[in-house]
mmCIF file of all heavy atoms in Angstrom:
data_model
loop_
_atom_site.group_PDB
_atom_site.id
_atom_site.type_symbol
_atom_site.label_atom_id
_atom_site.label_comp_id
_atom_site.label_asym_id
_atom_site.label_seq_id
_atom_site.Cartn_x
_atom_site.Cartn_y
_atom_site.Cartn_z
ATOM 1 N N GLU Y 1147 -75.047 132.627 -105.034
ATOM 2 C CA GLU Y 1147 -75.414 131.210 -105.129
ATOM 3 C C GLU Y 1147 -74.637 130.558 -106.322
ATOM 4 O O GLU Y 1147 -75.130 129.971 -107.120
ATOM 5 C CB GLU Y 1147 -76.819 131.119 -105.383
ATOM 6 C CG GLU Y 1147 -77.851 131.625 -104.293
ATOM 7 C CD GLU Y 1147 -77.986 130.489 -103.112
ATOM 8 O OE1 GLU Y 1147 -78.059 129.340 -103.475
ATOM 9 O OE2 GLU Y 1147 -78.072 130.872 -102.007
ATOM 10 N N LYS Y 1148 -73.296 130.797 -106.322
ATOM 11 C CA LYS Y 1148 -72.479 130.212 -107.392
ATOM 12 C C LYS Y 1148 -72.437 128.747 -107.355
ATOM 13 O O LYS Y 1148 -72.373 128.091 -106.225
ATOM 14 C CB LYS Y 1148 -71.101 130.809 -107.355
ATOM 15 C CG LYS Y 1148 -71.084 132.276 -107.743
ATOM 16 C CD LYS Y 1148 -69.651 132.800 -107.660
ATOM 17 C CE LYS Y 1148 -69.538 134.191 -108.231
ATOM 18 N NZ LYS Y 1148 -68.124 134.702 -108.418
ATOM 19 N N ILE Y 1149 -72.304 128.116 -108.389
ATOM 20 C CA ILE Y 1149 -72.072 126.668 -108.461
ATOM 21 C C ILE Y 1149 -70.757 126.521 -109.092
ATOM 22 O O ILE Y 1149 -70.379 126.832 -110.323
ATOM 23 C CB ILE Y 1149 -73.113 125.923 -109.538
ATOM 24 C CG1 ILE Y 1149 -74.551 126.115 -108.896
ATOM 25 C CG2 ILE Y 1149 -72.815 124.518 -109.667
ATOM 26 C CD1 ILE Y 1149 -75.572 125.700 -109.942
ATOM 27 N N TYR Y 1150 -69.834 125.972 -108.285
ATOM 28 C CA TYR Y 1150 -68.468 125.751 -108.604
ATOM 29 C C TYR Y 1150 -68.344 124.351 -109.335
ATOM 30 O O TYR Y 1150 -68.832 123.373 -108.779
ATOM 31 C CB TYR Y 1150 -67.460 125.716 -107.329
ATOM 32 C CG TYR Y 1150 -67.409 127.282 -106.850
ATOM 33 C CD1 TYR Y 1150 -68.410 127.682 -105.923
ATOM 34 C CD2 TYR Y 1150 -66.499 128.177 -107.377
ATOM 35 C CE1 TYR Y 1150 -68.408 128.986 -105.546
ATOM 36 C CE2 TYR Y 1150 -66.539 129.491 -107.031
ATOM 37 C CZ TYR Y 1150 -67.422 129.789 -106.055
ATOM 38 O OH TYR Y 1150 -67.376 131.173 -105.592
ATOM 39 N N THR Y 1151 -67.448 124.255 -110.332
ATOM 40 C CA THR Y 1151 -67.263 123.029 -111.132
ATOM 41 C C THR Y 1151 -65.809 122.721 -111.327
ATOM 42 O O THR Y 1151 -65.134 123.530 -111.857
ATOM 43 C CB THR Y 1151 -67.952 123.095 -112.493
ATOM 44 O OG1 THR Y 1151 -69.375 123.496 -112.157
ATOM 45 C CG2 THR Y 1151 -68.066 121.867 -113.163
ATOM 46 N N MET Y 1152 -65.438 121.470 -110.991
ATOM 47 C CA MET Y 1152 -64.038 120.964 -111.360
ATOM 48 C C MET Y 1152 -64.197 120.030 -112.526
ATOM 49 O O MET Y 1152 -65.030 119.104 -112.432
ATOM 50 C CB MET Y 1152 -63.501 120.192 -110.253
ATOM 51 C CG MET Y 1152 -63.091 121.135 -109.082
ATOM 52 S SD MET Y 1152 -62.388 120.141 -107.694
ATOM 53 C CE MET Y 1152 -60.716 119.609 -108.394
ATOM 54 N N LEU Y 1153 -63.726 120.448 -113.641
ATOM 55 C CA LEU Y 1153 -63.896 119.542 -114.857
ATOM 56 C C LEU Y 1153 -62.649 118.589 -114.925
ATOM 57 O O LEU Y 1153 -61.455 118.974 -114.759
ATOM 58 C CB LEU Y 1153 -63.864 120.377 -116.122
ATOM 59 C CG LEU Y 1153 -65.179 121.316 -116.239
ATOM 60 C CD1 LEU Y 1153 -64.965 122.154 -117.340
ATOM 61 C CD2 LEU Y 1153 -66.419 120.509 -116.339
ATOM 62 N N TYR Y 1154 -62.841 117.379 -115.221
ATOM 63 C CA TYR Y 1154 -61.749 116.450 -115.410
ATOM 64 C C TYR Y 1154 -60.835 116.270 -114.124
ATOM 65 O O TYR Y 1154 -59.678 116.104 -114.364
ATOM 66 C CB TYR Y 1154 -60.954 116.572 -116.738
ATOM 67 C CG TYR Y 1154 -61.820 116.852 -117.915
ATOM 68 C CD1 TYR Y 1154 -61.851 117.894 -118.718
ATOM 69 C CD2 TYR Y 1154 -62.560 115.647 -118.435
ATOM 70 C CE1 TYR Y 1154 -62.595 117.984 -119.802
ATOM 71 C CE2 TYR Y 1154 -63.251 115.797 -119.554
ATOM 72 C CZ TYR Y 1154 -63.319 116.889 -120.296
ATOM 73 O OH TYR Y 1154 -64.159 116.934 -121.354
ATOM 74 N N ALA Y 1155 -61.480 116.234 -112.919
ATOM 75 C CA ALA Y 1155 -60.847 116.153 -111.732
ATOM 76 C C ALA Y 1155 -60.003 114.856 -111.763
ATOM 77 O O ALA Y 1155 -59.152 114.685 -111.019
ATOM 78 C CB ALA Y 1155 -61.653 116.270 -110.675
ATOM 79 N N ASP Y 1156 -60.422 113.840 -112.447
ATOM 80 C CA ASP Y 1156 -59.668 112.480 -112.475
ATOM 81 C C ASP Y 1156 -58.325 112.736 -113.070
ATOM 82 O O ASP Y 1156 -57.450 111.714 -112.846
ATOM 83 C CB ASP Y 1156 -60.472 111.551 -113.284
ATOM 84 C CG ASP Y 1156 -60.867 111.981 -114.597
ATOM 85 O OD1 ASP Y 1156 -61.692 112.833 -114.715
ATOM 86 O OD2 ASP Y 1156 -60.300 111.518 -115.651
ATOM 87 N N GLU Y 1157 -58.114 113.748 -113.752
ATOM 88 C CA GLU Y 1157 -56.727 113.946 -114.310
ATOM 89 C C GLU Y 1157 -55.778 114.465 -113.379
ATOM 90 O O GLU Y 1157 -54.458 114.616 -113.758
ATOM 91 C CB GLU Y 1157 -56.814 114.712 -115.661
ATOM 92 C CG GLU Y 1157 -57.468 113.998 -116.691
ATOM 93 C CD GLU Y 1157 -57.317 114.664 -118.005
ATOM 94 O OE1 GLU Y 1157 -56.284 115.379 -118.253
ATOM 95 O OE2 GLU Y 1157 -58.069 114.218 -119.037
ATOM 96 N N LEU Y 1158 -56.048 114.928 -112.204
ATOM 97 C CA LEU Y 1158 -55.163 115.462 -111.248
ATOM 98 C C LEU Y 1158 -54.118 114.415 -110.787
ATOM 99 O O LEU Y 1158 -54.483 113.212 -110.679
ATOM 100 C CB LEU Y 1158 -55.919 115.979 -110.033
ATOM 101 C CG LEU Y 1158 -56.794 117.128 -110.289
ATOM 102 C CD1 LEU Y 1158 -57.694 117.567 -108.939
ATOM 103 C CD2 LEU Y 1158 -56.112 118.452 -110.690
ATOM 104 N N SER Y 1159 -52.933 114.963 -110.529
ATOM 105 C CA SER Y 1159 -51.973 113.962 -110.057
ATOM 106 C C SER Y 1159 -52.415 113.487 -108.690
ATOM 107 O O SER Y 1159 -53.224 114.039 -108.037
ATOM 108 C CB SER Y 1159 -50.572 114.646 -109.977
ATOM 109 O OG SER Y 1159 -50.602 115.517 -108.836
ATOM 110 N N TYR Y 1160 -51.764 112.323 -108.272
ATOM 111 C CA TYR Y 1160 -52.070 111.686 -107.026
ATOM 112 C C TYR Y 1160 -51.787 112.573 -105.824
ATOM 113 O O TYR Y 1160 -52.647 112.856 -104.957
ATOM 114 C CB TYR Y 1160 -51.295 110.447 -106.854
ATOM 115 C CG TYR Y 1160 -51.479 109.726 -105.511
ATOM 116 C CD1 TYR Y 1160 -52.658 108.963 -105.426
ATOM 117 C CD2 TYR Y 1160 -50.668 109.871 -104.370
ATOM 118 C CE1 TYR Y 1160 -53.048 108.324 -104.210
ATOM 119 C CE2 TYR Y 1160 -50.954 109.251 -103.225
ATOM 120 C CZ TYR Y 1160 -52.131 108.470 -103.145
ATOM 121 O OH TYR Y 1160 -52.439 107.829 -101.933
ATOM 122 N N ASP Y 1161 -50.737 113.354 -105.949
ATOM 123 C CA ASP Y 1161 -50.343 114.194 -104.829
ATOM 124 C C ASP Y 1161 -51.268 115.422 -104.681
ATOM 125 O O ASP Y 1161 -51.617 115.850 -103.608
ATOM 126 C CB ASP Y 1161 -48.975 114.777 -104.974
ATOM 127 C CG ASP Y 1161 -47.775 113.725 -104.812
ATOM 128 O OD1 ASP Y 1161 -48.090 112.722 -104.066
ATOM 129 O OD2 ASP Y 1161 -46.710 113.853 -105.274
ATOM 130 N N VAL Y 1162 -51.608 115.976 -105.872
ATOM 131 C CA VAL Y 1162 -52.614 117.148 -105.974
ATOM 132 C C VAL Y 1162 -53.987 116.636 -105.454
ATOM 133 O O VAL Y 1162 -54.625 117.228 -104.667
ATOM 134 C CB VAL Y 1162 -52.625 117.699 -107.278
ATOM 135 C CG1 VAL Y 1162 -53.760 118.706 -107.335
ATOM 136 C CG2 VAL Y 1162 -51.304 118.398 -107.555
ATOM 137 N N SER Y 1163 -54.375 115.384 -105.908
ATOM 138 C CA SER Y 1163 -55.627 114.903 -105.407
ATOM 139 C C SER Y 1163 -55.599 114.763 -103.929
ATOM 140 O O SER Y 1163 -56.767 114.963 -103.228
ATOM 141 C CB SER Y 1163 -55.986 113.523 -106.182
ATOM 142 O OG SER Y 1163 -56.057 113.796 -107.551
ATOM 143 N N CYS Y 1164 -54.709 114.217 -103.285
ATOM 144 C CA CYS Y 1164 -54.600 114.016 -101.996
ATOM 145 C C CYS Y 1164 -54.830 115.242 -101.146
ATOM 146 O O CYS Y 1164 -55.602 115.407 -100.163
ATOM 147 C CB CYS Y 1164 -53.337 113.220 -101.521
ATOM 148 S SG CYS Y 1164 -53.197 111.580 -101.972
ATOM 149 N N ARG Y 1165 -53.948 116.286 -101.591
ATOM 150 C CA ARG Y 1165 -53.946 117.577 -100.965
ATOM 151 C C ARG Y 1165 -55.521 118.352 -101.098
ATOM 152 O O ARG Y 1165 -55.988 118.836 -100.157
ATOM 153 C CB ARG Y 1165 -52.938 118.513 -101.416
ATOM 154 C CG ARG Y 1165 -51.564 117.974 -100.975
ATOM 155 C CD ARG Y 1165 -50.479 118.937 -101.416
ATOM 156 N NE ARG Y 1165 -50.564 120.359 -101.066
ATOM 157 C CZ ARG Y 1165 -49.804 121.266 -101.424
ATOM 158 N NH1 ARG Y 1165 -48.714 121.010 -102.261
ATOM 159 N NH2 ARG Y 1165 -49.962 122.487 -101.111
ATOM 160 N N ALA Y 1166 -56.048 118.055 -102.303
ATOM 161 C CA ALA Y 1166 -57.415 118.572 -102.420
ATOM 162 C C ALA Y 1166 -58.415 117.912 -101.514
ATOM 163 O O ALA Y 1166 -59.418 118.589 -100.960
ATOM 164 C CB ALA Y 1166 -57.781 118.335 -103.965
ATOM 165 N N GLU Y 1167 -58.394 116.609 -101.336
ATOM 166 C CA GLU Y 1167 -59.211 115.909 -100.471
ATOM 167 C C GLU Y 1167 -58.973 116.380 -99.055
ATOM 168 O O GLU Y 1167 -59.997 116.594 -98.352
ATOM 169 C CB GLU Y 1167 -58.947 114.364 -100.467
ATOM 170 C CG GLU Y 1167 -59.813 113.680 -99.487
ATOM 171 C CD GLU Y 1167 -59.476 112.354 -99.200
ATOM 172 O OE1 GLU Y 1167 -58.403 111.960 -99.533
ATOM 173 O OE2 GLU Y 1167 -60.235 111.633 -98.526
ATOM 174 N N GLU Y 1168 -57.825 116.476 -98.601
ATOM 175 C CA GLU Y 1168 -57.439 116.984 -97.258
ATOM 176 C C GLU Y 1168 -58.011 118.450 -96.990
ATOM 177 O O GLU Y 1168 -58.870 118.587 -95.965
ATOM 178 C CB GLU Y 1168 -55.990 117.038 -97.065
ATOM 179 C CG GLU Y 1168 -55.339 115.679 -96.852
ATOM 180 C CD GLU Y 1168 -53.803 115.793 -96.835
ATOM 181 O OE1 GLU Y 1168 -53.304 116.856 -96.814
ATOM 182 O OE2 GLU Y 1168 -53.260 114.699 -97.037
ATOM 183 N N LEU Y 1169 -57.907 119.339 -97.965
ATOM 184 C CA LEU Y 1169 -58.407 120.591 -97.854
ATOM 185 C C LEU Y 1169 -60.039 120.612 -97.833
ATOM 186 O O LEU Y 1169 -60.645 121.276 -97.125
ATOM 187 C CB LEU Y 1169 -57.960 121.475 -99.006
ATOM 188 C CG LEU Y 1169 -58.374 122.963 -98.937
ATOM 189 C CD1 LEU Y 1169 -57.856 123.583 -97.658
ATOM 190 C CD2 LEU Y 1169 -57.977 123.791 -100.099
ATOM 191 N N PHE Y 1170 -60.503 119.854 -98.693
ATOM 192 C CA PHE Y 1170 -62.022 119.611 -98.741
ATOM 193 C C PHE Y 1170 -62.600 119.221 -97.460
ATOM 194 O O PHE Y 1170 -63.557 119.781 -97.008
ATOM 195 C CB PHE Y 1170 -62.428 118.730 -99.856
ATOM 196 C CG PHE Y 1170 -63.875 118.552 -99.962
ATOM 197 C CD1 PHE Y 1170 -64.767 119.441 -100.659
ATOM 198 C CD2 PHE Y 1170 -64.464 117.348 -99.366
ATOM 199 C CE1 PHE Y 1170 -66.142 119.151 -100.676
ATOM 200 C CE2 PHE Y 1170 -65.856 117.272 -99.399
ATOM 201 C CZ PHE Y 1170 -66.693 118.102 -100.031
ATOM 202 N N GLN Y 1171 -61.883 118.115 -96.872
ATOM 203 C CA GLN Y 1171 -62.304 117.660 -95.569
ATOM 204 C C GLN Y 1171 -62.333 118.731 -94.510
ATOM 205 O O GLN Y 1171 -63.113 118.848 -93.580
ATOM 206 C CB GLN Y 1171 -61.606 116.454 -95.036
ATOM 207 C CG GLN Y 1171 -61.638 115.162 -96.061
ATOM 208 C CD GLN Y 1171 -63.185 114.748 -96.072
ATOM 209 O OE1 GLN Y 1171 -63.941 114.912 -95.265
ATOM 210 N NE2 GLN Y 1171 -63.461 114.073 -97.265
ATOM 211 N N ARG Y 1172 -61.267 119.612 -94.580
ATOM 212 C CA ARG Y 1172 -61.100 120.720 -93.481
ATOM 213 C C ARG Y 1172 -62.071 121.795 -93.694
ATOM 214 O O ARG Y 1172 -62.666 122.340 -92.723
ATOM 215 C CB ARG Y 1172 -59.783 121.274 -93.641
ATOM 216 C CG ARG Y 1172 -58.567 120.358 -92.768
ATOM 217 C CD ARG Y 1172 -57.357 121.223 -92.573
ATOM 218 N NE ARG Y 1172 -57.003 122.113 -93.547
ATOM 219 C CZ ARG Y 1172 -56.121 122.001 -94.500
ATOM 220 N NH1 ARG Y 1172 -55.441 120.855 -94.590
ATOM 221 N NH2 ARG Y 1172 -55.788 122.928 -95.379
ATOM 222 N N LEU Y 1173 -62.464 122.084 -94.955
ATOM 223 C CA LEU Y 1173 -63.150 123.254 -95.274
ATOM 224 C C LEU Y 1173 -64.668 123.096 -95.468
ATOM 225 O O LEU Y 1173 -65.457 124.018 -95.246
ATOM 226 C CB LEU Y 1173 -62.630 124.057 -96.426
ATOM 227 C CG LEU Y 1173 -61.293 124.653 -96.409
ATOM 228 C CD1 LEU Y 1173 -60.918 125.301 -97.726
ATOM 229 C CD2 LEU Y 1173 -61.202 125.608 -95.349
ATOM 230 N N GLN Y 1174 -65.030 121.944 -95.704
ATOM 231 C CA GLN Y 1174 -66.550 121.667 -96.020
ATOM 232 C C GLN Y 1174 -67.379 121.978 -94.821
ATOM 233 O O GLN Y 1174 -68.545 122.241 -94.966
ATOM 234 C CB GLN Y 1174 -66.800 120.223 -96.420
ATOM 235 C CG GLN Y 1174 -66.606 119.160 -95.354
ATOM 236 C CD GLN Y 1174 -67.160 117.794 -95.869
ATOM 237 O OE1 GLN Y 1174 -67.686 117.627 -97.003
ATOM 238 N NE2 GLN Y 1174 -66.812 116.810 -95.145
ATOM 239 N N HIS Y 1175 -66.856 121.884 -93.531
ATOM 240 C CA HIS Y 1175 -67.660 122.150 -92.364
ATOM 241 C C HIS Y 1175 -67.756 123.783 -92.099
ATOM 242 O O HIS Y 1175 -68.731 124.133 -91.366
ATOM 243 C CB HIS Y 1175 -66.960 121.554 -91.047
ATOM 244 C CG HIS Y 1175 -66.734 120.158 -91.373
ATOM 245 N ND1 HIS Y 1175 -67.793 119.169 -91.448
ATOM 246 C CD2 HIS Y 1175 -65.778 119.426 -91.544
ATOM 247 C CE1 HIS Y 1175 -67.406 117.965 -91.599
ATOM 248 N NE2 HIS Y 1175 -66.092 118.073 -91.656
ATOM 249 N N CYS Y 1176 -67.089 124.484 -92.849
ATOM 250 C CA CYS Y 1176 -67.119 125.935 -92.703
ATOM 251 C C CYS Y 1176 -68.311 126.585 -93.430
ATOM 252 O O CYS Y 1176 -68.797 127.669 -93.099
ATOM 253 C CB CYS Y 1176 -65.820 126.517 -93.327
ATOM 254 S SG CYS Y 1176 -64.397 126.156 -92.534
ATOM 255 N N ASN Y 1177 -68.765 125.791 -94.554
ATOM 256 C CA ASN Y 1177 -69.911 126.273 -95.331
ATOM 257 C C ASN Y 1177 -70.800 125.227 -95.556
ATOM 258 O O ASN Y 1177 -70.580 124.425 -96.423
ATOM 259 C CB ASN Y 1177 -69.358 127.016 -96.506
ATOM 260 C CG ASN Y 1177 -70.385 127.617 -97.432
ATOM 261 O OD1 ASN Y 1177 -71.609 127.611 -97.112
ATOM 262 N ND2 ASN Y 1177 -70.022 128.121 -98.546
ATOM 263 N N SER Y 1178 -71.992 125.180 -94.993
ATOM 264 C CA SER Y 1178 -72.913 124.124 -95.218
ATOM 265 C C SER Y 1178 -73.770 124.235 -96.517
ATOM 266 O O SER Y 1178 -74.408 123.366 -96.922
ATOM 267 C CB SER Y 1178 -73.974 123.969 -94.089
ATOM 268 O OG SER Y 1178 -74.712 125.079 -93.842
ATOM 269 N N THR Y 1179 -73.621 125.411 -97.216
ATOM 270 C CA THR Y 1179 -74.347 125.742 -98.421
ATOM 271 C C THR Y 1179 -73.518 125.707 -99.708
ATOM 272 O O THR Y 1179 -74.137 126.346 -100.638
ATOM 273 C CB THR Y 1179 -75.208 127.078 -98.288
ATOM 274 O OG1 THR Y 1179 -74.174 128.066 -98.129
ATOM 275 C CG2 THR Y 1179 -76.152 127.021 -97.045
ATOM 276 N N TYR Y 1180 -72.426 125.172 -99.528
ATOM 277 C CA TYR Y 1180 -71.417 125.219 -100.841
ATOM 278 C C TYR Y 1180 -72.210 124.384 -101.856
ATOM 279 O O TYR Y 1180 -72.997 123.456 -101.682
ATOM 280 C CB TYR Y 1180 -70.113 124.676 -100.444
ATOM 281 C CG TYR Y 1180 -70.052 123.168 -100.224
ATOM 282 C CD1 TYR Y 1180 -69.810 122.353 -101.235
ATOM 283 C CD2 TYR Y 1180 -70.112 122.821 -98.841
ATOM 284 C CE1 TYR Y 1180 -69.706 120.953 -100.949
ATOM 285 C CE2 TYR Y 1180 -70.003 121.332 -98.671
ATOM 286 C CZ TYR Y 1180 -69.877 120.539 -99.716
ATOM 287 O OH TYR Y 1180 -69.947 119.163 -99.357
#
């Protein structure tokens, strides 16, 4: 039951942020208990 934490995610570059969002959208359906 780990709790994952991204600190200062607002500092990510625009490109990295976009890729992170895309991956999140793809993977969030794989695990409903994240």
